[in-house]
mmCIF file of all heavy atoms in Angstrom:
data_model
loop_
_atom_site.group_PDB
_atom_site.id
_atom_site.type_symbol
_atom_site.label_atom_id
_atom_site.label_comp_id
_atom_site.label_asym_id
_atom_site.label_seq_id
_atom_site.Cartn_x
_atom_site.Cartn_y
_atom_site.Cartn_z
ATOM 1 N N ALA Y 264 -82.771 -3.457 -55.199
ATOM 2 C CA ALA Y 264 -82.729 -4.668 -54.358
ATOM 3 C C ALA Y 264 -82.274 -5.872 -55.171
ATOM 4 O O ALA Y 264 -81.500 -6.708 -54.674
ATOM 5 C CB ALA Y 264 -84.109 -4.916 -53.746
ATOM 6 N N ARG Y 265 -82.742 -5.970 -56.408
ATOM 7 C CA ARG Y 265 -82.301 -7.068 -57.260
ATOM 8 C C ARG Y 265 -80.792 -7.052 -57.439
ATOM 9 O O ARG Y 265 -80.115 -8.086 -57.353
ATOM 10 C CB ARG Y 265 -82.964 -6.969 -58.641
ATOM 11 C CG ARG Y 265 -84.435 -7.328 -58.672
ATOM 12 C CD ARG Y 265 -85.080 -6.933 -59.973
ATOM 13 N NE ARG Y 265 -84.428 -7.549 -61.101
ATOM 14 C CZ ARG Y 265 -84.643 -7.188 -62.359
ATOM 15 N NH1 ARG Y 265 -85.459 -6.201 -62.633
ATOM 16 N NH2 ARG Y 265 -84.048 -7.822 -63.334
ATOM 17 N N ASN Y 266 -80.246 -5.871 -57.669
ATOM 18 C CA ASN Y 266 -78.788 -5.762 -57.862
ATOM 19 C C ASN Y 266 -78.039 -6.189 -56.595
ATOM 20 O O ASN Y 266 -77.013 -6.880 -56.682
ATOM 21 C CB ASN Y 266 -78.424 -4.308 -58.208
ATOM 22 C CG ASN Y 266 -78.884 -3.929 -59.586
ATOM 23 O OD1 ASN Y 266 -79.102 -4.773 -60.438
ATOM 24 N ND2 ASN Y 266 -79.034 -2.626 -59.835
ATOM 25 N N GLN Y 267 -78.551 -5.813 -55.447
ATOM 26 C CA GLN Y 267 -77.888 -6.196 -54.189
ATOM 27 C C GLN Y 267 -78.014 -7.711 -53.950
ATOM 28 O O GLN Y 267 -77.080 -8.355 -53.474
ATOM 29 C CB GLN Y 267 -78.478 -5.415 -53.031
ATOM 30 C CG GLN Y 267 -78.105 -3.935 -53.050
ATOM 31 C CD GLN Y 267 -78.392 -3.246 -51.729
ATOM 32 O OE1 GLN Y 267 -78.429 -3.876 -50.673
ATOM 33 N NE2 GLN Y 267 -78.566 -1.939 -51.788
ATOM 34 N N LEU Y 268 -79.173 -8.266 -54.287
ATOM 35 C CA LEU Y 268 -79.343 -9.711 -54.114
ATOM 36 C C LEU Y 268 -78.410 -10.500 -55.011
ATOM 37 O O LEU Y 268 -77.932 -11.584 -54.646
ATOM 38 C CB LEU Y 268 -80.795 -10.090 -54.423
ATOM 39 C CG LEU Y 268 -81.833 -9.661 -53.367
ATOM 40 C CD1 LEU Y 268 -83.243 -9.794 -53.941
ATOM 41 C CD2 LEU Y 268 -81.703 -10.485 -52.097
ATOM 42 N N GLU Y 269 -78.137 -9.970 -56.197
ATOM 43 C CA GLU Y 269 -77.264 -10.655 -57.153
ATOM 44 C C GLU Y 269 -75.795 -10.532 -56.794
ATOM 45 O O GLU Y 269 -75.006 -11.446 -57.021
ATOM 46 C CB GLU Y 269 -77.471 -10.080 -58.564
ATOM 47 C CG GLU Y 269 -78.832 -10.349 -59.178
ATOM 48 C CD GLU Y 269 -79.022 -9.600 -60.484
ATOM 49 O OE1 GLU Y 269 -78.002 -9.255 -61.099
ATOM 50 O OE2 GLU Y 269 -80.169 -9.375 -60.891
ATOM 51 N N SER Y 270 -75.394 -9.391 -56.229
ATOM 52 C CA SER Y 270 -73.960 -9.105 -56.125
ATOM 53 C C SER Y 270 -73.431 -9.020 -54.691
ATOM 54 O O SER Y 270 -72.221 -8.893 -54.507
ATOM 55 C CB SER Y 270 -73.664 -7.768 -56.844
ATOM 56 O OG SER Y 270 -74.399 -6.703 -56.258
ATOM 57 N N THR Y 271 -74.316 -9.075 -53.693
ATOM 58 C CA THR Y 271 -73.838 -9.018 -52.316
ATOM 59 C C THR Y 271 -74.499 -10.111 -51.484
ATOM 60 O O THR Y 271 -75.440 -10.752 -51.918
ATOM 61 C CB THR Y 271 -74.155 -7.647 -51.657
ATOM 62 O OG1 THR Y 271 -75.537 -7.618 -51.267
ATOM 63 C CG2 THR Y 271 -73.848 -6.507 -52.594
ATOM 64 N N ASP Y 272 -73.988 -10.280 -50.263
ATOM 65 C CA ASP Y 272 -74.588 -11.202 -49.315
ATOM 66 C C ASP Y 272 -75.294 -10.440 -48.205
ATOM 67 O O ASP Y 272 -75.496 -10.961 -47.105
ATOM 68 C CB ASP Y 272 -73.520 -12.106 -48.694
ATOM 69 C CG ASP Y 272 -73.301 -13.355 -49.535
ATOM 70 O OD1 ASP Y 272 -74.104 -13.585 -50.448
ATOM 71 O OD2 ASP Y 272 -72.345 -14.095 -49.247
ATOM 72 N N ALA Y 273 -75.709 -9.203 -48.473
ATOM 73 C CA ALA Y 273 -76.438 -8.427 -47.480
ATOM 74 C C ALA Y 273 -77.722 -9.151 -47.084
ATOM 75 O O ALA Y 273 -78.377 -9.788 -47.900
ATOM 76 C CB ALA Y 273 -76.752 -7.041 -48.047
ATOM 77 N N THR Y 274 -78.078 -9.034 -45.812
ATOM 78 C CA THR Y 274 -79.312 -9.662 -45.337
ATOM 79 C C THR Y 274 -80.529 -8.947 -45.923
ATOM 80 O O THR Y 274 -80.426 -7.790 -46.390
ATOM 81 C CB THR Y 274 -79.401 -9.601 -43.808
ATOM 82 O OG1 THR Y 274 -79.474 -8.218 -43.401
ATOM 83 C CG2 THR Y 274 -78.197 -10.272 -43.164
ATOM 84 N N LEU Y 275 -81.671 -9.607 -45.868
ATOM 85 C CA LEU Y 275 -82.883 -8.973 -46.371
ATOM 86 C C LEU Y 275 -83.207 -7.720 -45.561
ATOM 87 O O LEU Y 275 -83.726 -6.735 -46.110
ATOM 88 C CB LEU Y 275 -84.065 -9.958 -46.319
ATOM 89 C CG LEU Y 275 -84.004 -11.168 -47.240
ATOM 90 C CD1 LEU Y 275 -85.365 -11.869 -47.253
ATOM 91 C CD2 LEU Y 275 -83.600 -10.785 -48.644
ATOM 92 N N GLU Y 276 -82.920 -7.755 -44.237
ATOM 93 C CA GLU Y 276 -83.168 -6.575 -43.402
ATOM 94 C C GLU Y 276 -82.374 -5.383 -43.898
ATOM 95 O O GLU Y 276 -82.893 -4.243 -43.991
ATOM 96 C CB GLU Y 276 -82.831 -6.871 -41.931
ATOM 97 C CG GLU Y 276 -83.800 -7.843 -41.273
ATOM 98 C CD GLU Y 276 -83.436 -9.310 -41.510
ATOM 99 O OE1 GLU Y 276 -82.517 -9.583 -42.325
ATOM 100 O OE2 GLU Y 276 -84.065 -10.188 -40.898
ATOM 101 N N ARG Y 277 -81.100 -5.620 -44.211
ATOM 102 C CA ARG Y 277 -80.248 -4.525 -44.673
ATOM 103 C C ARG Y 277 -80.698 -4.023 -46.036
ATOM 104 O O ARG Y 277 -80.729 -2.807 -46.310
ATOM 105 C CB ARG Y 277 -78.789 -4.976 -44.729
ATOM 106 C CG ARG Y 277 -77.826 -3.868 -45.195
ATOM 107 C CD ARG Y 277 -76.373 -4.267 -45.005
ATOM 108 N NE ARG Y 277 -75.472 -3.253 -45.507
ATOM 109 C CZ ARG Y 277 -75.158 -2.138 -44.875
ATOM 110 N NH1 ARG Y 277 -75.709 -1.889 -43.691
ATOM 111 N NH2 ARG Y 277 -74.331 -1.257 -45.407
ATOM 112 N N ILE Y 278 -81.026 -4.944 -46.949
ATOM 113 C CA ILE Y 278 -81.480 -4.546 -48.276
ATOM 114 C C ILE Y 278 -82.779 -3.752 -48.189
ATOM 115 O O ILE Y 278 -82.937 -2.721 -48.863
ATOM 116 C CB ILE Y 278 -81.653 -5.786 -49.172
ATOM 117 C CG1 ILE Y 278 -80.287 -6.417 -49.475
ATOM 118 C CG2 ILE Y 278 -82.367 -5.424 -50.479
ATOM 119 C CD1 ILE Y 278 -80.374 -7.731 -50.221
ATOM 120 N N ALA Y 279 -83.695 -4.213 -47.329
ATOM 121 C CA ALA Y 279 -84.953 -3.490 -47.166
ATOM 122 C C ALA Y 279 -84.707 -2.074 -46.674
ATOM 123 O O ALA Y 279 -85.367 -1.106 -47.117
ATOM 124 C CB ALA Y 279 -85.863 -4.235 -46.191
ATOM 125 N N SER Y 280 -83.730 -1.909 -45.794
ATOM 126 C CA SER Y 280 -83.423 -0.591 -45.237
ATOM 127 C C SER Y 280 -82.752 0.307 -46.280
ATOM 128 O O SER Y 280 -83.193 1.439 -46.509
ATOM 129 C CB SER Y 280 -82.534 -0.732 -44.027
ATOM 130 O OG SER Y 280 -82.139 0.520 -43.537
ATOM 131 N N THR Y 281 -81.700 -0.198 -46.934
ATOM 132 C CA THR Y 281 -80.958 0.637 -47.862
ATOM 133 C C THR Y 281 -81.723 0.965 -49.138
ATOM 134 O O THR Y 281 -81.447 1.956 -49.798
ATOM 135 C CB THR Y 281 -79.616 -0.030 -48.254
ATOM 136 O OG1 THR Y 281 -79.899 -1.303 -48.859
ATOM 137 C CG2 THR Y 281 -78.729 -0.209 -47.034
ATOM 138 N N CYS Y 282 -82.695 0.120 -49.485
ATOM 139 C CA CYS Y 282 -83.468 0.356 -50.708
ATOM 140 C C CYS Y 282 -84.782 1.076 -50.450
ATOM 141 O O CYS Y 282 -85.576 1.259 -51.372
ATOM 142 C CB CYS Y 282 -83.752 -0.981 -51.411
ATOM 143 S SG CYS Y 282 -82.269 -1.794 -52.025
ATOM 144 N N GLY Y 283 -85.016 1.486 -49.199
ATOM 145 C CA GLY Y 283 -86.177 2.315 -48.927
ATOM 146 C C GLY Y 283 -87.454 1.581 -48.639
ATOM 147 O O GLY Y 283 -88.522 2.210 -48.507
ATOM 148 N N PHE Y 284 -87.411 0.242 -48.466
ATOM 149 C CA PHE Y 284 -88.622 -0.512 -48.169
ATOM 150 C C PHE Y 284 -89.000 -0.442 -46.696
ATOM 151 O O PHE Y 284 -90.162 -0.620 -46.335
ATOM 152 C CB PHE Y 284 -88.460 -1.968 -48.582
ATOM 153 C CG PHE Y 284 -88.391 -2.164 -50.070
ATOM 154 C CD1 PHE Y 284 -87.194 -2.449 -50.682
ATOM 155 C CD2 PHE Y 284 -89.527 -2.060 -50.842
ATOM 156 C CE1 PHE Y 284 -87.121 -2.637 -52.052
ATOM 157 C CE2 PHE Y 284 -89.485 -2.237 -52.207
ATOM 158 C CZ PHE Y 284 -88.275 -2.530 -52.826
ATOM 159 N N GLY Y 285 -88.011 -0.217 -45.856
ATOM 160 C CA GLY Y 285 -88.265 -0.104 -44.436
ATOM 161 C C GLY Y 285 -88.267 -1.451 -43.741
ATOM 162 O O GLY Y 285 -87.484 -1.665 -42.801
ATOM 163 N N THR Y 286 -89.114 -2.365 -44.136
ATOM 164 C CA THR Y 286 -89.193 -3.670 -43.498
ATOM 165 C C THR Y 286 -89.066 -4.780 -44.551
ATOM 166 O O THR Y 286 -89.316 -4.571 -45.733
ATOM 167 C CB THR Y 286 -90.544 -3.849 -42.768
ATOM 168 O OG1 THR Y 286 -91.600 -3.912 -43.756
ATOM 169 C CG2 THR Y 286 -90.809 -2.689 -41.814
ATOM 170 N N THR Y 287 -88.671 -5.967 -44.077
ATOM 171 C CA THR Y 287 -88.556 -7.092 -44.994
ATOM 172 C C THR Y 287 -89.913 -7.493 -45.559
ATOM 173 O O THR Y 287 -90.011 -7.949 -46.693
ATOM 174 C CB THR Y 287 -87.915 -8.304 -44.296
ATOM 175 O OG1 THR Y 287 -88.671 -8.628 -43.135
ATOM 176 C CG2 THR Y 287 -86.484 -7.992 -43.895
ATOM 177 N N ASP Y 288 -90.960 -7.340 -44.761
ATOM 178 C CA ASP Y 288 -92.302 -7.670 -45.254
ATOM 179 C C ASP Y 288 -92.671 -6.803 -46.460
ATOM 180 O O ASP Y 288 -93.247 -7.294 -47.440
ATOM 181 C CB ASP Y 288 -93.345 -7.482 -44.157
ATOM 182 C CG ASP Y 288 -93.312 -8.611 -43.117
ATOM 183 O OD1 ASP Y 288 -92.731 -9.657 -43.413
ATOM 184 O OD2 ASP Y 288 -93.872 -8.408 -42.019
ATOM 185 N N THR Y 289 -92.341 -5.532 -46.382
ATOM 186 C CA THR Y 289 -92.625 -4.633 -47.515
ATOM 187 C C THR Y 289 -91.783 -5.018 -48.725
ATOM 188 O O THR Y 289 -92.271 -5.015 -49.863
ATOM 189 C CB THR Y 289 -92.318 -3.167 -47.125
ATOM 190 O OG1 THR Y 289 -93.080 -2.831 -45.955
ATOM 191 C CG2 THR Y 289 -92.696 -2.217 -48.253
ATOM 192 N N LEU Y 290 -90.520 -5.382 -48.490
ATOM 193 C CA LEU Y 290 -89.646 -5.832 -49.569
ATOM 194 C C LEU Y 290 -90.226 -7.080 -50.243
ATOM 195 O O LEU Y 290 -90.297 -7.157 -51.486
ATOM 196 C CB LEU Y 290 -88.256 -6.142 -49.007
ATOM 197 C CG LEU Y 290 -87.272 -6.879 -49.928
ATOM 198 C CD1 LEU Y 290 -86.864 -5.994 -51.094
ATOM 199 C CD2 LEU Y 290 -86.031 -7.316 -49.132
ATOM 200 N N ILE Y 291 -90.655 -8.048 -49.438
ATOM 201 C CA ILE Y 291 -91.182 -9.296 -49.989
ATOM 202 C C ILE Y 291 -92.457 -9.040 -50.781
ATOM 203 O O ILE Y 291 -92.645 -9.585 -51.869
ATOM 204 C CB ILE Y 291 -91.422 -10.309 -48.857
ATOM 205 C CG1 ILE Y 291 -90.086 -10.757 -48.254
ATOM 206 C CG2 ILE Y 291 -92.201 -11.516 -49.354
ATOM 207 C CD1 ILE Y 291 -90.208 -11.454 -46.923
ATOM 208 N N ARG Y 292 -93.333 -8.204 -50.235
ATOM 209 C CA ARG Y 292 -94.573 -7.901 -50.952
ATOM 210 C C ARG Y 292 -94.308 -7.229 -52.276
ATOM 211 O O ARG Y 292 -94.963 -7.501 -53.289
ATOM 212 C CB ARG Y 292 -95.482 -7.010 -50.088
ATOM 213 C CG ARG Y 292 -96.168 -7.757 -48.949
ATOM 214 C CD ARG Y 292 -97.332 -6.952 -48.396
ATOM 215 N NE ARG Y 292 -96.908 -5.662 -47.857
ATOM 216 C CZ ARG Y 292 -96.527 -5.478 -46.606
ATOM 217 N NH1 ARG Y 292 -96.537 -6.491 -45.748
ATOM 218 N NH2 ARG Y 292 -96.161 -4.279 -46.189
ATOM 219 N N ALA Y 293 -93.313 -6.328 -52.321
ATOM 220 C CA ALA Y 293 -92.961 -5.649 -53.571
ATOM 221 C C ALA Y 293 -92.434 -6.639 -54.594
ATOM 222 O O ALA Y 293 -92.752 -6.555 -55.808
ATOM 223 C CB ALA Y 293 -91.927 -4.560 -53.305
ATOM 224 N N PHE Y 294 -91.612 -7.597 -54.170
ATOM 225 C CA PHE Y 294 -91.076 -8.596 -55.092
ATOM 226 C C PHE Y 294 -92.199 -9.492 -55.633
ATOM 227 O O PHE Y 294 -92.221 -9.815 -56.804
ATOM 228 C CB PHE Y 294 -89.993 -9.447 -54.395
ATOM 229 C CG PHE Y 294 -88.603 -8.988 -54.681
ATOM 230 C CD1 PHE Y 294 -88.172 -7.749 -54.261
ATOM 231 C CD2 PHE Y 294 -87.734 -9.789 -55.412
ATOM 232 C CE1 PHE Y 294 -86.898 -7.306 -54.537
ATOM 233 C CE2 PHE Y 294 -86.442 -9.356 -55.709
ATOM 234 C CZ PHE Y 294 -86.026 -8.111 -55.276
ATOM 235 N N ARG Y 295 -93.121 -9.856 -54.766
ATOM 236 C CA ARG Y 295 -94.236 -10.687 -55.234
ATOM 237 C C ARG Y 295 -95.084 -9.906 -56.225
ATOM 238 O O ARG Y 295 -95.558 -10.471 -57.232
ATOM 239 C CB ARG Y 295 -95.085 -11.153 -54.051
ATOM 240 C CG ARG Y 295 -94.409 -12.199 -53.179
ATOM 241 C CD ARG Y 295 -95.436 -12.880 -52.284
ATOM 242 N NE ARG Y 295 -94.816 -13.835 -51.372
ATOM 243 C CZ ARG Y 295 -94.480 -15.070 -51.714
ATOM 244 N NH1 ARG Y 295 -94.639 -15.484 -52.957
ATOM 245 N NH2 ARG Y 295 -93.941 -15.896 -50.811
ATOM 246 N N ARG Y 296 -95.283 -8.636 -55.950
ATOM 247 C CA ARG Y 296 -96.115 -7.816 -56.818
ATOM 248 C C ARG Y 296 -95.452 -7.542 -58.159
ATOM 249 O O ARG Y 296 -96.070 -7.617 -59.207
ATOM 250 C CB ARG Y 296 -96.459 -6.513 -56.090
ATOM 251 C CG ARG Y 296 -97.392 -5.577 -56.847
ATOM 252 C CD ARG Y 296 -97.965 -4.504 -55.904
ATOM 253 N NE ARG Y 296 -96.957 -3.862 -55.100
ATOM 254 C CZ ARG Y 296 -96.875 -3.987 -53.768
ATOM 255 N NH1 ARG Y 296 -97.721 -4.749 -53.107
ATOM 256 N NH2 ARG Y 296 -95.948 -3.326 -53.081
ATOM 257 N N LYS Y 297 -94.171 -7.222 -58.124
ATOM 258 C CA LYS Y 297 -93.470 -6.824 -59.353
ATOM 259 C C LYS Y 297 -92.902 -8.002 -60.126
ATOM 260 O O LYS Y 297 -92.869 -7.989 -61.367
ATOM 261 C CB LYS Y 297 -92.313 -5.860 -59.009
ATOM 262 C CG LYS Y 297 -92.762 -4.485 -58.514
ATOM 263 C CD LYS Y 297 -93.312 -3.661 -59.639
ATOM 264 C CE LYS Y 297 -93.602 -2.219 -59.190
ATOM 265 N NZ LYS Y 297 -94.163 -1.404 -60.275
#
C-alpha cells in the first residue's frame, strides 16, 4: 500500500482492495498500527 500511495493516484478504496485489506477502515487501522 505504501508503494501504491507513493507512485500512483489510486483511491484508498482501490488500494485497500488490491492490497488485501478489503475495506478502507482496515487499511487505515493497519497504517495507524504499523
Side-chain angles (χ1 to χ4, degrees):
R265 287 168 58 192
N266 290 338
Q267 290 194 24
L268 289 166
E269 293 173 22
S270 60
T271 78
D272 272 350
T274 64
L275 294 191
E276 290 86 352
R277 180 170 177 79
I278 292 173
S280 176
T281 59
C282 294
F284 291 105
T286 68
T287 56
D288 285 343
T289 304
L290 169 67
I291 292 165
R292 286 197 299 270
F294 262 65
R295 288 196 183 279
R296 183 164 49 247
K297 291 287 187 181

